[in-house]
Amino acid sequence: MNRTTPHMAGRTSTFSQLLSSTRRGARLARLLAMTELRTWHLPGEVTERAELLVAELAANAVRHGRVRGRDFRLRLRITPAAPAPLVTAAAPALRIEVTDARGERLPTPSRPLADHPDGGGHGLVLVAAYADRWGWEPHPPGGKTVWAEVDLPPGRH
């Protein structure tokens, strides 16, 4: 008897949650992301990288993007592969987005760790190391979204 394996072709998984711009909200973002990603049955390596990325991006939103009385948003989604005829067809990826209210405080490449006497300032270095791509975009009317993507292995999505 032949068995077929179901695929998520054409399916886009998404998760979005507003969280308080507090340390507790950042911790909750990581816990919610891990709970949700486990239900998507992604490979362990992807969820481990995602956990670190969510933790860093949420902590940065709380530390650098906080506006009193405004929340931050965590959004997770599987981006589908680009159609095959495209020369630069993108592979499916897990996209992590954290949107905060401080559009004027943009992420910048980190200075050497020695420049940070409190031991901080290396969060975006970790994001760059664990993400296949990362960046930011404006989120009108006054915020920004910092995003990171982790490519999914072929046939594992």
Side-chain angles (χ1 to χ4, degrees):
M1 172 154 86
N2 291 334
R3 279 183 104 169
T4 59
T5 305
H7 296 280
M8 288 177 42
R11 179 177 166 223
T12 303
S13 299
T14 60
F15 172 83
S16 183
Q17 181 68 50
L18 277 175
L19 297 148
S20 66
S21 291
T22 63
R23 289 175 43 189
R24 177 178 275 172
R27 283 191 305 272
L28 184 56
R30 183 182 59 81
L31 294 171
L32 289 172
M34 290 306 88
T35 300
E36 183 66 22
L37 291 177
R38 284 187 189 103
T39 69
W40 294 1
H41 303 290
L42 298 176
E45 183 228 318
V46 171
T47 57
E48 289 170 10
R49 289 169 62 190
E51 181 176 14
L52 184 132
L53 291 166
V54 169
E56 289 298 332
L57 294 177
N60 284 349
V62 168
R63 186 172 186 182
H64 303 293
R66 184 171 188 260
V67 172
R68 184 180 286 270
R70 302 275 307 270
D71 296 334
F72 74 92
R73 177 176 299 280
L74 169 66
R75 183 174 183 222
L76 309 171
R77 65 185 170 108
I78 302 295
T79 61
L86 295 177
V87 175
T88 59
L94 169 63
R95 184 173 174 106
I96 301 160
E97 300 174 348
V98 175
T99 302
D100 66 48
R102 298 286 302 267
E104 78 282 4
R105 295 195 73 186
L106 302 177
T108 56
S110 183
R111 299 177 305 232
L113 295 179
D115 290 349
H116 299 277
D118 64 351
H122 54 276
L124 290 178
V125 172
L126 292 173
V127 169
Y130 282 92
D132 291 306
R133 287 164 300 288
W134 78 274
W136 67 272
E137 52 201 39
H139 186 82
K144 69 180 174 298
T145 298
V146 182
W147 56 267
E149 290 182 344
V150 177
D151 290 336
L152 298 178
R156 299 292 309 267
H157 45 87

